[in-house]
Amino acid sequence: MPRQSSALRAALLFLAATIGAPSLVRAQRTIPTPASILGFEPGADRHLPSWKQIVDYFAAIDRASPRVSVRTLGKTTLGRPFIVAFISDSSTLANLEHYRQIQRKLMDPRLQVANERQRLIDEGKNVILVTSAIHSNESGGFTTPIVLTDRLARAEDREARDILANTIIMLVPSQNPDGVDIVGDYYRSTLGTPAEGRDPPDLYHKYVGHDDNRDWYAFTQPETRYTVDSLYTPWDPQIVNDIHQQGSNAGRIFIPPYMDPIEPNIDPILTAATNGLGMSIVWRMTNLGFTGIGSNASYDQWSPARQYSLYHRGARLLTETASARLATPIDISFDQLGAGRGYEAKTVSWNFPSVWPGGKWTYGDIVRYQTAASWALFLDAAMNRRAWLEGYATQGDRALGALPAWGRDAWPSAIVIPKAQPDTQALRRMIWTLQHGQVEIRESTAPTTVDGKTYPAGSYVVLTKQPFGAYAKALLERQAYPDLFDYPGGPPKRPYDVTAHTLPLLFGVDVAHVTGAAPATGPAIKEMAEPTYTTALSGKTTKRIALFRPSASEPIDAGWTHWVLDTYKVSFTTITEKDLAGGAPNDRFDAIIFPDGTLGGGGGRGGRGGRGGGGGAADVFAALDAFANNGGSILAFNSSSNALIDGLKLPVKNVLAGVGNNDFYAPGSILAVEIKRDSPVARGFTATVPAIWFENGPAFEISDPSMATAVASYPATGNPLLSGWLLGGSKLNGKAALVDVKHGRGHVVLYGFRPQYRGQSMATYPLIWSAIQ
Ligand SMILES: [Zn+2]
């Protein structure tokens, strides 16, 4: 470097600062520290940042650093700003649209001109989406993004320069900003009390609590839609860094590879890329002295509900760091460490290379692990940029090409969706849902015959040969979950989540899978607007409806019920056991709904953020008994029906009570039923293939047919499984799935399933509306 006079150097520095060049001097002088904005170091014991503090930090860094550009994507469910920070070299950020166009062309070879592929790979950036803190009691998740941003905005070291030069990072500091404050406010209000470090009694997302990361193909919540519409759809990133936390007593962090099974529509490039990247992170972290890292454990790669990117060209690196008690430290001795699923935390193994010695575990440790894992991910993405982009482009080529990609010869060529459907709202929702996930929908230009049935020209057609054809196929076909057991002859191996996601069955929409030549079609049609959802109860006050939740905690199924009622503009009042303590509330309500897990001992799957149960005291059943006798309607979903059978001594028996997993197992599957169409409860039910969402539910036998009617029953013979996994299905043959029980002048409707499952099982919503009318 030529020698400069001090006057010249001063002039250059002044000039650089004035024109905003990203000079070292400017960066060092003006980047505010996180502590200067938050008032404490990120990760300090007992100091959770509020959402406002986090937004203030990102606003300040946006002003101060040319490497960070913050955008607001919209308002959350409860009205908070939902933000993303784009982080890269200042020159890349100044030309973001240019790089986005490269990304688009690599994603879709139809947009490339001849011989352009190599130039695009030479020039393109490795695009990384970070979705952090979708689960708000995983407090490191909304803290680590601050530490990462600070380091990338400030650092001049080789690693940071490589990352900034080769990647574009889209950092969502919280996928659920409302929950940052729902959890944080409760935490701050309970500091120093016995409740310090506990989850709040309310769901940490108004409607869906912990299920907010089960929404990545149904897109029911605005927060999901912001990330899909503003980040996934325009960019289709190569890598998603999904930052989570797990329990405290096994490994310190989980990093992929995932456990089996792998959903077969995922391009194997992404499975291999996920495995390679995960192992690269484990290696780098181990170099730095991090211990207790587990892989190939607990988490599988089955459901698109959690992993949108795996169907949209991006590897998903889920990390799950051990939790403390929010921001309160815990102590775990080595002896207290136990087994994770797939490893033992006291023993080294290939997928758990070093044990953590035990001791104090803090919020700061969580942030340290999450930061190290994210940094290692960024480094791999930077170092291997070319390989990532080549794999990305190859996925695009074979989604559209004739390559024999992972068994595609056995695929249908197209799926026809007839326009004549029993439920037009459901049809519209299905088209909207698919298009929202970047699926191209076309219309046939000639009649198409499938299995002897002819569909007229103008029918909707989904070609599987299209950029996201595998995603469409995954959602439109029936799932065949493999029979997996812990060991030969042992119990079934529990899936991480549910096993089915077949939209035509959930929505009650007819489709036909075309094998052989694809039908002739026109161009992709324009995006359809989401339907306005209505029922006969919408906007009416003729029926006074109560939705029950226990006061101690709100089960997630109650939140989903709330969401369905709000979405259909059905007015209701939330009640707790206190509202029933005074006796039958017939003067206030005509119908009371008990979602799964709200009644009885909490047998339902409340999940984290809502444990269920608590509403089963004797006075509650006395009030309900009188309520129904006086003409009220009681609706009980899934496990809550068991509590009502016992509590009201109903003439119905759950035949699955006491049956073990070895004899019967259905951990989230879609099952066939037959509907008694002349029952008043079945009024409005239209699906051609009647199907219910079954997950740890009861199945009923009626002991007094004069008092109870089976509105939905499992087939008398054959396997009732339509999609997912079912062991011991013969136990269901001839049993009832939905029972209408007369009770005095009123009635009790028992659902052996969740009729409003995660806002998806639209086909069975009419079974709710009709039971109320
Ligand atoms: Zn989580």
Side-chain angles (χ1 to χ4, degrees), residues 121-159:
I121 290 173
D122 287 345
E123 204 191 340
K125 305 291 182 187
N126 203 354
V127 181
I128 303 165
L129 170 65
V130 184
T131 50
S132 209
I134 193 167
H135 293 149
S136 310
N137 57 355
E138 300 169 5
S139 47
F142 49 84
T143 314
T144 296
I146 295 172
V147 178
L148 290 169
T149 303
D150 178 61
R151 187 163 169 191
L152 285 165
R154 189 181 301 283
E156 291 298 337
D157 58 274
R158 173 75 187 268
E159 289 186 357

mmCIF file of all heavy atoms in Angstrom, residues 121-159:
data_model
loop_
_atom_site.group_PDB
_atom_site.id
_atom_site.type_symbol
_atom_site.label_atom_id
_atom_site.label_comp_id
_atom_site.label_asym_id
_atom_site.label_seq_id
_atom_site.Cartn_x
_atom_site.Cartn_y
_atom_site.Cartn_z
ATOM 1 N N ILE A 121 -24.196 -19.851 -12.295
ATOM 2 C CA ILE A 121 -23.564 -20.497 -11.132
ATOM 3 C C ILE A 121 -22.309 -19.724 -10.713
ATOM 4 O O ILE A 121 -22.029 -19.550 -9.532
ATOM 5 C CB ILE A 121 -23.267 -21.976 -11.447
ATOM 6 C CG1 ILE A 121 -24.584 -22.757 -11.524
ATOM 7 C CG2 ILE A 121 -22.331 -22.593 -10.406
ATOM 8 C CD1 ILE A 121 -24.458 -24.185 -11.995
ATOM 9 N N ASP A 122 -21.570 -19.219 -11.703
ATOM 10 C CA ASP A 122 -20.372 -18.426 -11.372
ATOM 11 C C ASP A 122 -20.751 -17.193 -10.556
ATOM 12 O O ASP A 122 -20.077 -16.829 -9.608
ATOM 13 C CB ASP A 122 -19.684 -17.939 -12.666
ATOM 14 C CG ASP A 122 -18.972 -19.080 -13.386
ATOM 15 O OD1 ASP A 122 -18.769 -20.140 -12.760
ATOM 16 O OD2 ASP A 122 -18.641 -18.905 -14.577
ATOM 17 N N GLU A 123 -21.838 -16.563 -10.946
ATOM 18 C CA GLU A 123 -22.156 -15.253 -10.377
ATOM 19 C C GLU A 123 -23.090 -15.312 -9.172
ATOM 20 O O GLU A 123 -23.092 -14.417 -8.333
ATOM 21 C CB GLU A 123 -22.786 -14.370 -11.472
ATOM 22 C CG GLU A 123 -22.629 -12.896 -11.187
ATOM 23 C CD GLU A 123 -23.462 -12.009 -12.118
ATOM 24 O OE1 GLU A 123 -23.858 -12.481 -13.201
ATOM 25 O OE2 GLU A 123 -23.726 -10.860 -11.733
ATOM 26 N N GLY A 124 -23.899 -16.358 -9.093
ATOM 27 C CA GLY A 124 -24.957 -16.389 -8.072
ATOM 28 C C GLY A 124 -24.422 -16.471 -6.656
ATOM 29 O O GLY A 124 -23.259 -16.800 -6.423
ATOM 30 N N LYS A 125 -25.280 -16.153 -5.714
ATOM 31 C CA LYS A 125 -24.937 -16.262 -4.286
ATOM 32 C C LYS A 125 -25.681 -17.455 -3.692
ATOM 33 O O LYS A 125 -26.728 -17.862 -4.198
ATOM 34 C CB LYS A 125 -25.348 -14.992 -3.541
ATOM 35 C CG LYS A 125 -24.791 -13.702 -4.108
ATOM 36 C CD LYS A 125 -23.292 -13.585 -3.917
ATOM 37 C CE LYS A 125 -22.793 -12.243 -4.468
ATOM 38 N NZ LYS A 125 -21.325 -12.157 -4.453
ATOM 39 N N ASN A 126 -25.138 -17.971 -2.603
ATOM 40 C CA ASN A 126 -25.826 -19.034 -1.872
ATOM 41 C C ASN A 126 -26.818 -18.353 -0.923
ATOM 42 O O ASN A 126 -26.407 -17.615 -0.020
ATOM 43 C CB ASN A 126 -24.803 -19.879 -1.108
ATOM 44 C CG ASN A 126 -25.327 -21.262 -0.797
ATOM 45 O OD1 ASN A 126 -26.498 -21.563 -1.044
ATOM 46 N ND2 ASN A 126 -24.472 -22.100 -0.246
ATOM 47 N N VAL A 127 -28.093 -18.563 -1.157
ATOM 48 C CA VAL A 127 -29.111 -17.832 -0.407
ATOM 49 C C VAL A 127 -29.559 -18.668 0.790
ATOM 50 O O VAL A 127 -29.917 -19.841 0.648
ATOM 51 C CB VAL A 127 -30.313 -17.486 -1.310
ATOM 52 C CG1 VAL A 127 -31.365 -16.703 -0.528
ATOM 53 C CG2 VAL A 127 -29.849 -16.694 -2.527
ATOM 54 N N ILE A 128 -29.512 -18.045 1.967
ATOM 55 C CA ILE A 128 -29.810 -18.747 3.224
ATOM 56 C C ILE A 128 -30.958 -18.020 3.926
ATOM 57 O O ILE A 128 -30.878 -16.816 4.148
ATOM 58 C CB ILE A 128 -28.579 -18.744 4.159
ATOM 59 C CG1 ILE A 128 -27.369 -19.371 3.464
ATOM 60 C CG2 ILE A 128 -28.895 -19.462 5.466
ATOM 61 C CD1 ILE A 128 -26.056 -19.072 4.177
ATOM 62 N N LEU A 129 -31.975 -18.767 4.252
ATOM 63 C CA LEU A 129 -33.055 -18.213 5.079
ATOM 64 C C LEU A 129 -32.874 -18.726 6.502
ATOM 65 O O LEU A 129 -32.700 -19.934 6.698
ATOM 66 C CB LEU A 129 -34.414 -18.665 4.521
ATOM 67 C CG LEU A 129 -35.647 -18.379 5.396
ATOM 68 C CD1 LEU A 129 -35.886 -16.885 5.554
ATOM 69 C CD2 LEU A 129 -36.899 -19.041 4.801
ATOM 70 N N VAL A 130 -32.890 -17.808 7.464
ATOM 71 C CA VAL A 130 -32.844 -18.210 8.869
ATOM 72 C C VAL A 130 -34.221 -17.950 9.468
ATOM 73 O O VAL A 130 -34.688 -16.810 9.484
ATOM 74 C CB VAL A 130 -31.782 -17.421 9.657
ATOM 75 C CG1 VAL A 130 -31.693 -17.942 11.089
ATOM 76 C CG2 VAL A 130 -30.433 -17.491 8.968
ATOM 77 N N THR A 131 -34.902 -19.026 9.888
ATOM 78 C CA THR A 131 -36.170 -18.845 10.598
ATOM 79 C C THR A 131 -35.908 -19.212 12.051
ATOM 80 O O THR A 131 -35.641 -20.358 12.368
ATOM 81 C CB THR A 131 -37.279 -19.734 10.011
ATOM 82 O OG1 THR A 131 -36.797 -21.066 9.900
ATOM 83 C CG2 THR A 131 -37.719 -19.252 8.643
ATOM 84 N N SER A 132 -35.971 -18.226 12.903
ATOM 85 C CA SER A 132 -35.603 -18.441 14.292
ATOM 86 C C SER A 132 -36.831 -18.228 15.167
ATOM 87 O O SER A 132 -37.745 -17.490 14.813
ATOM 88 C CB SER A 132 -34.501 -17.452 14.683
ATOM 89 O OG SER A 132 -33.695 -17.995 15.696
ATOM 90 N N ALA A 133 -36.824 -18.898 16.308
ATOM 91 C CA ALA A 133 -37.829 -18.638 17.350
ATOM 92 C C ALA A 133 -39.260 -18.714 16.837
ATOM 93 O O ALA A 133 -40.094 -17.883 17.159
ATOM 94 C CB ALA A 133 -37.598 -17.288 18.014
ATOM 95 N N ILE A 134 -39.585 -19.742 16.043
ATOM 96 C CA ILE A 134 -41.004 -19.952 15.734
ATOM 97 C C ILE A 134 -41.694 -20.420 17.015
ATOM 98 O O ILE A 134 -42.875 -20.171 17.209
ATOM 99 C CB ILE A 134 -41.174 -20.952 14.569
ATOM 100 C CG1 ILE A 134 -42.617 -20.914 14.042
ATOM 101 C CG2 ILE A 134 -40.761 -22.376 14.963
ATOM 102 C CD1 ILE A 134 -42.808 -21.629 12.718
ATOM 103 N N HIS A 135 -40.918 -21.051 17.898
ATOM 104 C CA HIS A 135 -41.439 -21.477 19.205
ATOM 105 C C HIS A 135 -40.916 -20.522 20.271
ATOM 106 O O HIS A 135 -39.710 -20.450 20.519
ATOM 107 C CB HIS A 135 -41.016 -22.915 19.498
ATOM 108 C CG HIS A 135 -41.658 -23.893 18.565
ATOM 109 N ND1 HIS A 135 -41.065 -25.057 18.167
ATOM 110 C CD2 HIS A 135 -42.870 -23.845 17.950
ATOM 111 C CE1 HIS A 135 -41.888 -25.698 17.331
ATOM 112 N NE2 HIS A 135 -42.984 -24.979 17.180
ATOM 113 N N SER A 136 -41.839 -19.803 20.891
ATOM 114 C CA SER A 136 -41.422 -18.634 21.664
ATOM 115 C C SER A 136 -40.848 -18.968 23.025
ATOM 116 O O SER A 136 -40.237 -18.102 23.652
ATOM 117 C CB SER A 136 -42.611 -17.692 21.811
ATOM 118 O OG SER A 136 -43.179 -17.490 20.553
ATOM 119 N N ASN A 137 -41.053 -20.188 23.523
ATOM 120 C CA ASN A 137 -40.387 -20.536 24.784
ATOM 121 C C ASN A 137 -38.971 -21.067 24.522
ATOM 122 O O ASN A 137 -38.282 -21.462 25.447
ATOM 123 C CB ASN A 137 -41.218 -21.546 25.592
ATOM 124 C CG ASN A 137 -41.502 -22.807 24.806
ATOM 125 O OD1 ASN A 137 -41.177 -22.915 23.626
ATOM 126 N ND2 ASN A 137 -42.121 -23.779 25.465
ATOM 127 N N GLU A 138 -38.559 -21.034 23.251
ATOM 128 C CA GLU A 138 -37.184 -21.401 22.903
ATOM 129 C C GLU A 138 -36.420 -20.082 22.790
ATOM 130 O O GLU A 138 -36.187 -19.547 21.708
ATOM 131 C CB GLU A 138 -37.211 -22.231 21.613
ATOM 132 C CG GLU A 138 -38.046 -23.502 21.812
ATOM 133 C CD GLU A 138 -38.362 -24.269 20.532
ATOM 134 O OE1 GLU A 138 -37.862 -23.898 19.459
ATOM 135 O OE2 GLU A 138 -39.116 -25.263 20.619
ATOM 136 N N SER A 139 -36.063 -19.540 23.973
ATOM 137 C CA SER A 139 -35.700 -18.129 24.078
ATOM 138 C C SER A 139 -34.382 -17.782 23.396
ATOM 139 O O SER A 139 -34.172 -16.630 23.015
ATOM 140 C CB SER A 139 -35.646 -17.734 25.549
ATOM 141 O OG SER A 139 -34.904 -18.705 26.275
ATOM 142 N N GLY A 140 -33.490 -18.756 23.236
ATOM 143 C CA GLY A 140 -32.273 -18.457 22.486
ATOM 144 C C GLY A 140 -32.606 -18.029 21.070
ATOM 145 O O GLY A 140 -31.894 -17.225 20.464
ATOM 146 N N GLY A 141 -33.708 -18.545 20.563
ATOM 147 C CA GLY A 141 -34.084 -18.301 19.169
ATOM 148 C C GLY A 141 -34.280 -16.846 18.826
ATOM 149 O O GLY A 141 -33.984 -16.425 17.704
ATOM 150 N N PHE A 142 -34.781 -16.059 19.770
ATOM 151 C CA PHE A 142 -34.937 -14.636 19.429
ATOM 152 C C PHE A 142 -33.786 -13.790 19.965
ATOM 153 O O PHE A 142 -33.874 -12.570 19.992
ATOM 154 C CB PHE A 142 -36.316 -14.081 19.824
ATOM 155 C CG PHE A 142 -36.794 -14.355 21.223
ATOM 156 C CD1 PHE A 142 -36.397 -13.538 22.272
ATOM 157 C CD2 PHE A 142 -37.661 -15.397 21.479
ATOM 158 C CE1 PHE A 142 -36.868 -13.773 23.561
ATOM 159 C CE2 PHE A 142 -38.131 -15.636 22.766
ATOM 160 C CZ PHE A 142 -37.735 -14.837 23.805
ATOM 161 N N THR A 143 -32.719 -14.427 20.382
ATOM 162 C CA THR A 143 -31.551 -13.719 20.897
ATOM 163 C C THR A 143 -30.343 -13.954 19.984
ATOM 164 O O THR A 143 -29.616 -13.012 19.644
ATOM 165 C CB THR A 143 -31.249 -14.229 22.321
ATOM 166 O OG1 THR A 143 -32.478 -14.277 23.044
ATOM 167 C CG2 THR A 143 -30.270 -13.326 23.023
ATOM 168 N N THR A 144 -30.158 -15.193 19.567
ATOM 169 C CA THR A 144 -29.051 -15.531 18.676
ATOM 170 C C THR A 144 -29.022 -14.675 17.403
ATOM 171 O O THR A 144 -27.936 -14.264 16.972
ATOM 172 C CB THR A 144 -29.118 -17.047 18.352
ATOM 173 O OG1 THR A 144 -28.912 -17.748 19.581
ATOM 174 C CG2 THR A 144 -28.108 -17.456 17.323
ATOM 175 N N PRO A 145 -30.175 -14.373 16.774
ATOM 176 C CA PRO A 145 -30.111 -13.541 15.568
ATOM 177 C C PRO A 145 -29.440 -12.179 15.808
ATOM 178 O O PRO A 145 -28.784 -11.646 14.903
ATOM 179 C CB PRO A 145 -31.587 -13.355 15.185
ATOM 180 C CG PRO A 145 -32.244 -14.601 15.689
ATOM 181 C CD PRO A 145 -31.542 -14.893 16.995
ATOM 182 N N ILE A 146 -29.557 -11.647 17.010
ATOM 183 C CA ILE A 146 -28.899 -10.372 17.320
ATOM 184 C C ILE A 146 -27.382 -10.561 17.331
ATOM 185 O O ILE A 146 -26.635 -9.754 16.771
ATOM 186 C CB ILE A 146 -29.413 -9.840 18.684
ATOM 187 C CG1 ILE A 146 -30.905 -9.510 18.581
ATOM 188 C CG2 ILE A 146 -28.597 -8.646 19.158
ATOM 189 C CD1 ILE A 146 -31.557 -9.152 19.909
ATOM 190 N N VAL A 147 -26.937 -11.646 17.946
ATOM 191 C CA VAL A 147 -25.495 -11.906 18.038
ATOM 192 C C VAL A 147 -24.913 -12.145 16.640
ATOM 193 O O VAL A 147 -23.846 -11.632 16.295
ATOM 194 C CB VAL A 147 -25.238 -13.118 18.960
ATOM 195 C CG1 VAL A 147 -23.751 -13.430 19.036
ATOM 196 C CG2 VAL A 147 -25.804 -12.849 20.352
ATOM 197 N N LEU A 148 -25.644 -12.903 15.823
ATOM 198 C CA LEU A 148 -25.163 -13.185 14.460
ATOM 199 C C LEU A 148 -25.087 -11.907 13.637
ATOM 200 O O LEU A 148 -24.119 -11.674 12.900
ATOM 201 C CB LEU A 148 -26.102 -14.187 13.778
ATOM 202 C CG LEU A 148 -26.078 -15.624 14.304
ATOM 203 C CD1 LEU A 148 -27.237 -16.426 13.713
ATOM 204 C CD2 LEU A 148 -24.740 -16.301 13.976
ATOM 205 N N THR A 149 -26.121 -11.084 13.757
ATOM 206 C CA THR A 149 -26.152 -9.843 12.974
ATOM 207 C C THR A 149 -25.031 -8.917 13.408
ATOM 208 O O THR A 149 -24.342 -8.302 12.569
ATOM 209 C CB THR A 149 -27.525 -9.160 13.140
ATOM 210 O OG1 THR A 149 -28.540 -10.080 12.748
ATOM 211 C CG2 THR A 149 -27.622 -7.903 12.292
ATOM 212 N N ASP A 150 -24.823 -8.816 14.711
ATOM 213 C CA ASP A 150 -23.750 -7.955 15.221
ATOM 214 C C ASP A 150 -22.396 -8.407 14.655
ATOM 215 O O ASP A 150 -21.607 -7.596 14.182
ATOM 216 C CB ASP A 150 -23.740 -8.015 16.750
ATOM 217 C CG ASP A 150 -22.617 -7.188 17.340
ATOM 218 O OD1 ASP A 150 -22.607 -5.957 17.108
ATOM 219 O OD2 ASP A 150 -21.736 -7.764 18.006
ATOM 220 N N ARG A 151 -22.172 -9.712 14.673
ATOM 221 C CA ARG A 151 -20.872 -10.224 14.210
ATOM 222 C C ARG A 151 -20.685 -9.969 12.712
ATOM 223 O O ARG A 151 -19.622 -9.545 12.271
ATOM 224 C CB ARG A 151 -20.792 -11.724 14.520
ATOM 225 C CG ARG A 151 -19.444 -12.326 14.245
ATOM 226 C CD ARG A 151 -19.309 -13.665 14.948
ATOM 227 N NE ARG A 151 -18.112 -14.360 14.482
ATOM 228 C CZ ARG A 151 -17.850 -15.635 14.757
ATOM 229 N NH1 ARG A 151 -18.687 -16.337 15.503
ATOM 230 N NH2 ARG A 151 -16.753 -16.201 14.307
ATOM 231 N N LEU A 152 -21.747 -10.200 11.936
ATOM 232 C CA LEU A 152 -21.629 -10.014 10.489
ATOM 233 C C LEU A 152 -21.527 -8.538 10.124
ATOM 234 O O LEU A 152 -20.871 -8.169 9.144
ATOM 235 C CB LEU A 152 -22.827 -10.655 9.779
ATOM 236 C CG LEU A 152 -22.778 -12.180 9.724
ATOM 237 C CD1 LEU A 152 -24.140 -12.754 9.355
ATOM 238 C CD2 LEU A 152 -21.706 -12.659 8.732
ATOM 239 N N ALA A 153 -22.167 -7.682 10.888
ATOM 240 C CA ALA A 153 -22.111 -6.247 10.587
ATOM 241 C C ALA A 153 -20.761 -5.648 10.959
ATOM 242 O O ALA A 153 -20.315 -4.685 10.351
ATOM 243 C CB ALA A 153 -23.220 -5.524 11.360
ATOM 244 N N ARG A 154 -20.110 -6.232 11.940
ATOM 245 C CA ARG A 154 -18.918 -5.626 12.528
ATOM 246 C C ARG A 154 -17.614 -6.250 12.009
ATOM 247 O O ARG A 154 -16.618 -5.559 11.830
ATOM 248 C CB ARG A 154 -19.003 -5.837 14.044
ATOM 249 C CG ARG A 154 -17.994 -5.118 14.888
ATOM 250 C CD ARG A 154 -18.230 -5.482 16.356
ATOM 251 N NE ARG A 154 -19.566 -5.119 16.806
ATOM 252 C CZ ARG A 154 -19.947 -3.887 17.113
ATOM 253 N NH1 ARG A 154 -19.100 -2.887 17.037
ATOM 254 N NH2 ARG A 154 -21.189 -3.639 17.498
ATOM 255 N N ALA A 155 -17.641 -7.563 11.781
ATOM 256 C CA ALA A 155 -16.379 -8.304 11.630
ATOM 257 C C ALA A 155 -15.669 -7.982 10.322
ATOM 258 O O ALA A 155 -16.299 -7.719 9.295
ATOM 259 C CB ALA A 155 -16.657 -9.799 11.712
ATOM 260 N N GLU A 156 -14.353 -8.033 10.364
ATOM 261 C CA GLU A 156 -13.519 -7.896 9.170
ATOM 262 C C GLU A 156 -12.631 -9.122 8.992
ATOM 263 O O GLU A 156 -11.712 -9.103 8.195
ATOM 264 C CB GLU A 156 -12.653 -6.634 9.281
ATOM 265 C CG GLU A 156 -13.451 -5.345 9.198
ATOM 266 C CD GLU A 156 -14.171 -5.170 7.870
ATOM 267 O OE1 GLU A 156 -13.743 -5.778 6.866
ATOM 268 O OE2 GLU A 156 -15.181 -4.463 7.841
ATOM 269 N N ASP A 157 -12.870 -10.177 9.759
ATOM 270 C CA ASP A 157 -12.008 -11.353 9.668
ATOM 271 C C ASP A 157 -12.311 -12.131 8.397
ATOM 272 O O ASP A 157 -13.319 -11.903 7.725
ATOM 273 C CB ASP A 157 -12.180 -12.245 10.917
ATOM 274 C CG ASP A 157 -13.609 -12.688 11.082
ATOM 275 O OD1 ASP A 157 -14.416 -11.933 11.687
ATOM 276 O OD2 ASP A 157 -13.961 -13.763 10.574
ATOM 277 N N ARG A 158 -11.455 -13.065 8.117
ATOM 278 C CA ARG A 158 -11.542 -13.835 6.874
ATOM 279 C C ARG A 158 -12.876 -14.578 6.761
ATOM 280 O O ARG A 158 -13.516 -14.590 5.709
ATOM 281 C CB ARG A 158 -10.352 -14.810 6.860
ATOM 282 C CG ARG A 158 -10.343 -15.817 5.738
ATOM 283 C CD ARG A 158 -9.942 -15.170 4.429
ATOM 284 N NE ARG A 158 -10.106 -16.103 3.336
ATOM 285 C CZ ARG A 158 -9.144 -16.912 2.892
ATOM 286 N NH1 ARG A 158 -7.951 -16.887 3.455
ATOM 287 N NH2 ARG A 158 -9.368 -17.730 1.883
ATOM 288 N N GLU A 159 -13.291 -15.203 7.859
ATOM 289 C CA GLU A 159 -14.528 -15.987 7.810
ATOM 290 C C GLU A 159 -15.716 -15.086 7.478
ATOM 291 O O GLU A 159 -16.547 -15.415 6.634
ATOM 292 C CB GLU A 159 -14.763 -16.692 9.158
ATOM 293 C CG GLU A 159 -13.791 -17.822 9.414
ATOM 294 C CD GLU A 159 -14.109 -18.606 10.679
ATOM 295 O OE1 GLU A 159 -15.062 -18.228 11.407
ATOM 296 O OE2 GLU A 159 -13.402 -19.602 10.933
#
